[in-house]
Every structure is written in C-alpha cells, then in structure tokens.
Amino acid sequence: MQRSGNINGSSAITYRPIDQPKEPFPAMRMSELVGHRYKERPAEATLESHALLLRGGYARQVANGIYSLLPAGLRVIRKIERIVREEMDRIGGQEVLMPLAQPRELWEESGRYQSVGPELARFKDRAGHDMVLAMTHEEGVVHLCRNEIHSYAQLPFMVYQIQTKFRDEPRSRGGLIRVREFTMKDGYSFHRTKEDLESYYMECFRAYERIFQRAGFSNVVAVEADSGMMGGKISHEFILLTEVGEDTIATCTETGYYANREVATGIIQGYAEAEQALEKVHTPNQKTIEEVAAFLGVQQHQTAKAVFYDSDEHGKPVIAVIRGDREICEPKLAKIIRAIPTPANDARIRGAGGVPGFASPLGLDKSKWRIVVDSTVATSNNLVTGANEADYHYKNFNLSRDLPGVETHDIAMIADGDRTPDDKGVIALQRGIEVGNIFQLGTKYTESMGMTYNDEAQQKCVPIMGCYGIGIGRMMSSIMEVHRDQYGPKWPMSVAPWQVHLNALKLNTPGVKEAAEKLYADLTAKGIEVLFDDRDERPGVQFADADLLGIPVRLIVGERNLKEGNIEWKRRDTGESGVVSIDTAIDFAIAGIASGK
RNA sequence: CGGGGCGUAGCGCAGCCCGGUAGCGCACCUGCUUUGGGAGCAGGGGGCCGCUGGUUCGAAUCCAGUCGCCCCGACCA
C-alpha cells in the first residue's frame, strides 16, 4: 500500500498491512497469579479507576506518581501497546528505542535544558557529568537520525518508540492518569515540505482514531490544542470526554467544534449602547469587581477589570484588560506577549504607576506598560473601570473613544453559552482526559540541532518534523474509568488481560476438577488466553475476583450444570448468562472472542 | 510553591485531648464444619505506633524538627 500525495518527487512512506496472526499471551492458573485482589477501597484513591487499579491487583504505588505493574496490569498494557504498534507499523512507522538517561549537552542543543523548568529531572553521573531523564524524545530522535539521513531520497520517514518518560510533575494524581514516570508511545516524522508533513499528519490523525476505537473508546474527540512548550503551530489533542478529566474542552455537537479551553475561540456577547460622558466616581475601598459592581449598582459585564502580569518579551510590565464578567485566558495572552504571564506583585505594579484595586489602562504611561485589551471591552460600552487613583473609578469608559489605538486581541477564556466561532452553534464546556496528541512541529529541533540533508541541487535543507504521542498507562486507566461497574472493570476484548475466565466451583466434588482441567487444557491448546481459577475458594470469592479482573467471557464449571453435561457462561460487559454444553464450550468461547467484545 | 488533612500489622481504621508499654475488621497460617455472589467456629503468626531529638520515673499519646502520602489551588505535550 502506497500513500497518495507523493510530493515534490520525494519517496513516500511505505504502509504495511497488519493482518498477521497474533501470538496469544500465555494462559495461566489463578493459584499461581502474583498480585492479590482486595475488598476494601484504598484511602488514597479518589477516582474509581484508581481504586480498581489497586483493588484488582493491577498496579502498586511505589512513590508519588510512580507505580509498579503486576502481571494482570502488564498484560493490559501489552495489549494496548500491541494495538498501538500495529497502527504505527501500518502507517509505515519503524520502531526504535532511545534512552531515558541523556547527557545535558543534547538538551542544550535544543535550548530546552534552560527553557524547561524543574519537571526536567537533572542529575550528575559518577564522573560528574550533567545528565537528564528524558521527558520526551525530540532531542533523542534528532540525535539518532541526523547522522543517518543525508539525502532527500531518504525522506520522509517516521520512527516511533514505546518508552519510559520521566516528568517531575508538581502534582500527580488519579492512579495512572497523571504520573511522573510513565510509558508513552512517541513517534516522530521527518519531511521535506510542509505539505508532506500535513498529509502525513492526517494519516497519523486517522491512525489515532483507529487506535482509540480499537481500544474501546467511543467518545474520544480530536480538539485543537495549544502546542505549549513543544513549539510548532498546528496540534491536536485526543480527548476522552469524561467528567473525571483534568482538561476542559469547549464543545459544540451541532457544529462539531472542539477545542481545548486554552485555545478555544468564540463569539462572546457584547453590550453595545450609546456612549455617555466619562465620569469619575468615589468608590471608597471598593476593590474587587464584585464590590465595585454592587457599590455602583451595575452588572459585572458593565465593568472592565485590569490584571497585572510581569514582563512581556521586552521586560515591560503587562496590564491585561477584560470585561468584568470574563476571565483572562493566559495561554492566549502568552502568545501575544511572547512570555509566560506570571501575576505581578503589588510593588511591581506601584513601581510602574499602577494602583492595585483601582487599576485601569486609562492614564497609564504607555511607554512603561504593555497594554493588552480583550475584544470584550471593545464590544461593550460605558464600562466602569479603575481611575488609577485610590478609592476612585471611572464610569462610562469606551475603548475606542477613551483609549484609541490600543492593542486589542482575543484573550478571553471561553465559557458555557458562548457562540461558536462560525456563529452557528453554542459552546458547552466538558471535562476530558488527554490520551494522545499530535503536533506539526516544524524545524524547531532539526534546525537547532543541525539536522540537514542534501536536495537534488546539493543544497543543505532542514527536515520538517511532526511528533505524535500516546500515553499508554493513561489509556489503561481511562479504559477502566469508562468501562466498569461497581464491582470492577469490564475490559474490551481487545485489551483484556485474558480472554476467558474459567471458574471451577466446588473443585473437590467428583468430576468438577477433571472437567475444568480438561477444558483448561483444550482452551489453551486452541491458543485461547484463559485464566483458570483453580483455587478451592468459595463461589462468592471466585466471582468477586472475576469481576475485579474484568475478563469478557466467563465459563463456570459447577456440579449443578455438569450433571447435564453443561457449563454456565457469563459476559462481563452485558451481564448476560446462560448454559452451553461442555462439548461446545470451546466453540462458544472462540465465537465470543471473535465478536471482538 | 501556597492552603488543608493524614502517617499505628499487607489493607481499612480505633487508641492520642486526659502519658503507664497497642487493639478491631479484612487478609494470612492450622484444624473442623461449610460451598452458585466476598462463610462459621476454634486456635495462631505478624508492629523500631514514619524518622530524629526534647520533656518525663515512664511517650503511639505532650513539644520541636524532619521525611512521606493524600486533597484543593498554582503549574503542566
């Protein structure tokens, strides 16, 4: 299979089919399974998936945001990885493996040794060399590839890995959803042209849709995102919409608009009215928007508030102005001032002539301040704003009249009920978990790290990069969060740690053990991934454990049905159950597995 | 980094105010009885009461410090 859109004579990436037979994971006996399950909910778990992760014997915490995986958990992880590998291979990815520990020099080449904060773990090796633990592998991949690629004929290509990352997050939480050490699939593609990157980016986009669909997610949406510290322009996050998510997403099902709240734009209602004369009013000790609005008897949207930040890119203090009923979206502001907005302290504000609590862009020395006004202030009239004088505000501030020519941008945080950018729908905010992301990176890393190739005219060119991440452990916890009931997870067949859970009840009654052992042997011989509960446990214990292990198909050998030559079956997902003749049980299991659920 | 909470057996917790040398449930081990949704009885093992220092005749308990974990916020591919 060849990808269409062969650009500028460059060779395309060769896609590979994925229909090779899969090696089954080993069958095993529950009496030998390492990792116990328990009844009591762990105190530290706040999310259901976190509680089940621990209760089901999938993982154990070692330190804050650092986990070990037990066999049951690792099997789920391996299944997820298998799906990811197949889809990455299918779009022509080649698997590589780069180190977690890397020398400082590599990160100085890209500039990130300085630009990234304390979440980049740094240490010295025994020889005193500065080292880092990679939090992502752009540096690693450029280092790896820059000496392998010399000609345009070698582009494009994509390499990927499934490797540990370490990020010293200020705060991890939620089981495997947000951790410091985690496994990520990260892929990197290299292209000659922007167009080639864009077309491959879309291929990867579609591969991601297949991955999430195969892993059992029905409501993952791709949203426009902020590329943040990664650099680059276009990026998408794949967000699983769920109430327990940490990210907030602006969504509109009517128009299909989806964007991370950090970058979401929309149409915010304006309040236009006839301009009235500017008037200074005494507002003793009324500092917050709530206080001022109440004191003057106006709505919050009839005010403008000023928020101070330290230094734009030129070191000037920043005053951001927005209508009083709205919040500033700091990532948007960051792009405009080309610096991370950090709130300014009072001394800094006063030092430049501002009056905290009664601040306003009116009357500020424009040579000392970077003034950025949000569009909401432009679309409303007669606002109340500070007078830059203690205990005084102005009424009837009108931007175009009173502060003509000031820098006006969209720096507002979008809210429930705003109109979509095309004005055809209404935005609703939803919570979600970011399970993957893709970036059109550009040349940030290839350029800074000196990766070049020769084109047809012997000219040195810099490859254009894309990068593509998926959090493997985060996917596992997210699947558990979505597919579960009060008793445990309900693993989709594609990621289930085992395909069939075989119970033997009253193991020591005549015939039961023999029948179950034979079924276990036959299932195993057919290449079915079966977990055989061969313990002489009471039925309640066995069933509770089976629920916590969440295996899709359960087969129960018990005295009661065995008399008729039958065994019972039960589906973990639907709760359906029935009996089937022991002679056809294997075909029944195979059919259940083949149904893919 | 700011605010709050908690560290006592593998897990969940009581005891701490009011100081006297540690207890309950689950789990684990032995025996008997049980066996289709986390059984019953009997017996048993397991604790530097997070760590360090102080007060005291005596500290799980009071005081100081320190480390760790959890939650909220800030932060964040």
Side-chain angles (χ1 to χ4, degrees):
Chain A
M1 218 182 340
Q2 288 280 309
R3 178 163 52 105
S4 60
N6 196 342
I7 305 296
N8 292 347
S10 62
S11 55
I13 295 175
T14 302
Y15 292 5
R16 291 191 286 274
I18 58 161
D19 47 6
Q20 290 93 350
K22 299 174 182 58
E23 202 49 39
F25 289 20
M28 71 178 291
R29 291 165 185 272
M30 203 137 158
S31 60
E32 297 169 354
L33 178 63
V34 175
H36 74 288
R37 291 144 304 284
Y38 53 88
K39 199 169 7 179
E40 278 151 341
R41 185 191 169 93
E44 73 262 27
T46 47
L47 302 186
E48 268 315 298
S49 63
H50 187 186
L52 295 177
L53 186 76
L54 301 172
R55 286 189 52 215
Y58 296 97
R60 300 284 179 243
Q61 181 167 349
V62 177
N64 178 296
I66 298 177
Y67 285 80
S68 291
L69 287 170
L70 286 158
L74 185 60
R75 288 175 72 114
V76 175
I77 291 289
R78 292 282 184 249
K79 288 276 177 83
I80 295 169
E81 290 176 355
R82 189 163 76 187
I83 293 171
V84 169
R85 277 198 177 88
E86 286 178 358
E87 294 296 342
M88 288 296 103
D89 290 347
R90 171 140 89 175
I91 59 169
Q94 300 179 50
E95 188 166 358
V96 296
L97 190 61
M98 295 179 272
L100 176 63
Q102 300 181 352
R104 167 182 181 160
E105 288 72 24
L106 214 48
W107 287 69
E108 284 191 327
E109 285 189 52
S110 70
R112 288 208 290 188
Y113 193 82
Q114 279 75 27
S115 70
V116 176
E119 71 254 38
L120 177 63
R122 299 154 217 248
F123 66 101
K124 283 184 193 297
D125 69 12
R126 67 194 298 165
H129 297 136
D130 287 318
M131 306 290 288
V132 308
L133 295 181
M135 45 191 290
T136 171
H137 281 78
E138 282 76 19
E139 285 81 1
V141 78
V142 172
H143 173 268
L144 177 67
C145 294
R146 67 181 166 192
N147 292 325
E148 308 299 328
I149 301 300
H150 305 105
S151 159
Y152 70 92
Q154 294 172 292
L155 296 176
F157 68 93
M158 188 268 272
V159 292
Y160 74 94
Q161 64 173 353
I162 295 176
Q163 168 66 312
T164 302
K165 306 276 181 276
F166 188 85
R167 289 182 199 173
D168 199 357
E169 296 278 358
R171 189 177 157 205
S172 55
R173 67 200 109 172
L176 296 185
I177 288 188
R178 184 173 195 77
V179 286
R180 294 193 295 169
E181 183 186 303
F182 58 101
T183 303
M184 174 179 256
K185 185 286 297 175
D186 47 327
Y188 307 89
S189 68
F190 295 80
H191 309 267
R192 293 188 72 184
T193 65
K194 192 166 163 287
E195 292 71 28
D196 193 50
L197 167 62
E198 282 167 6
S199 105
Y200 191 74
Y201 182 86
M202 281 316 298
E203 288 299 333
C204 205
F205 190 111
R206 287 189 277 272
Y208 270 38
E209 290 179 321
R210 289 192 294 270
I211 288 168
F212 296 126
Q213 190 260 324
R214 288 179 63 186
F217 291 126
S218 57
N219 59 340
V220 168
V221 297
V223 311
E224 293 171 30
D226 177 29
S227 51
M229 72 156 189
M230 296 297 300
K233 285 226 165 66
I234 296 176
S235 71
H236 286 86
E237 290 171 346
F238 287 80
I239 303 279
L240 172 71
L241 295 176
T242 159
E243 281 172 22
V244 303
E246 293 188 295
D247 290 311
T248 302
I249 312 300
T251 69
C252 176
T253 45
E254 297 161 69
T255 63
Y257 180 75
Y258 291 99
N260 192 302
R261 195 182 189 190
E262 292 177 356
V263 296
T265 58
I267 298 169
I268 299 174
Q269 187 185 355
Y271 298 92
E273 47 187 71
E275 291 183 2
Q276 296 177 33
L278 198 62
E279 181 190 342
K280 199 180 207 177
V281 290
H282 192 222
T283 51
N285 221 20
Q286 308 297 311
K287 293 188 174 185
T288 67
I289 290 292
E290 291 78 20
E291 288 166 358
V292 172
F295 183 81
L296 295 176
V298 299
Q299 300 286 310
Q300 291 190 17
H301 69 248
Q302 294 173 293
T303 68
K305 77 177 155 195
V307 184
F308 295 100
Y309 294 98
D310 271 339
S311 314
D312 70 357
E313 57 183 323
H314 305 299
K316 267 192 188 176
V318 176
I319 177 170
V321 186
I322 191 165
R323 214 170 57 204
D325 60 325
R326 307 303 297 229
E327 296 300 321
I328 296 207
C329 176
E330 292 182 356
K332 286 183 185 174
L333 182 61
K335 287 207 172 81
I336 289 154
I337 63 172
R338 299 173 65 87
I340 295 174
T342 46
N345 61 32
D346 281 9
R348 168 89 166 150
I349 297 168
R350 290 181 207 282
V355 184
F358 302 92
S360 145
L362 282 176
L364 275 187
D365 183 346
K366 285 192 190 173
S367 67
K368 286 189 184 163
W369 288 89
R370 174 80 176 263
I371 303 175
V372 181
V373 180
D374 182 67
S375 316
T376 49
V377 177
T379 57
S380 298
N381 295 105
N382 301 327
L383 302 176
V384 170
T385 189
N388 272 325
E389 184 181 336
D391 297 336
Y392 284 95
H393 281 78
Y394 281 115
K395 285 170 79 171
N396 304 326
F397 166 56
N398 288 287
L399 182 69
S400 58
R401 180 191 67 190
D402 302 326
L403 213 59
V406 75
E407 200 178 346
T408 305
H409 298 276
D410 169 19
I411 54 169
M413 189 78 90
I414 216 73
D416 262 315
D418 290 338
R419 307 280 303 170
T420 53
D422 60 9
D423 202 18
K424 289 179 180 165
V426 177
I427 285 171
L429 296 178
Q430 291 194 58
R431 306 281 287 174
I433 298 170
E434 180 187 351
V435 286
N437 54 31
I438 55 179
F439 292 86
Q440 293 184 22
L441 264 186
T443 56
K444 173 174 174 177
Y445 296 94
T446 45
E447 196 170 308
S448 60
M449 297 181 69
M451 176 172 179
T452 61
Y453 63 92
N454 282 345
D455 68 8
E456 297 89 328
Q458 298 281 2
Q459 294 296 306
K460 274 194 176 176
C461 302
V462 178
I464 302 171
M465 280 179 77
C467 74
Y468 318 96
I470 287 181
I472 303 289
R474 183 179 282 191
M475 267 184 81
M476 172 175 169
S477 272
S478 300
I479 294 167
M480 221 187 275
E481 193 63 45
V482 174
H483 298 287
R484 61 175 165 79
D485 60 17
Q486 60 178 306
Y487 304 110
K490 301 175 174 179
W491 296 113
M493 187 62 81
S494 59
V495 299
W498 289 269
Q499 296 167 326
V500 172
H501 191 117
L502 175 61
N503 290 102
L505 303 185
K506 290 197 264 183
L507 193 67
N508 292 321
T509 44
V512 169
K513 187 170 187 177
E514 294 71 18
E517 286 284 356
K518 181 170 188 311
L519 199 48
Y520 176 58
D522 292 348
L523 287 163
T524 304
K526 289 280 184 187
I528 292 169
E529 298 166 359
V530 49
L531 178 65
F532 176 25
D533 193 343
D534 61 335
R535 303 168 303 168
D536 187 20
E537 283 287 356
R538 300 174 59 81
V541 174
Q542 288 200 21
F543 293 151
D545 278 349
D547 288 340
L548 280 168
L549 287 164
I551 297 167
V553 176
R554 189 182 305 172
L555 298 178
I556 305 154
V557 179
E559 188 182 19
R560 216 161 61 183
N561 291 304
L562 203 56
K563 280 186 224 159
E564 323 292 326
N566 292 333
I567 61 168
E568 185 183 340
W569 59 271
K570 185 167 186 182
R571 295 285 317 195
R572 179 69 181 94
D573 49 357
T574 62
E576 293 171 278
S577 63
V579 294
V580 64
S581 131
I582 195 160
D583 302 322
T584 57
I586 290 180
D587 293 332
F588 177 86
I590 289 172
I593 293 162
S595 77
K597 286 187 190 165

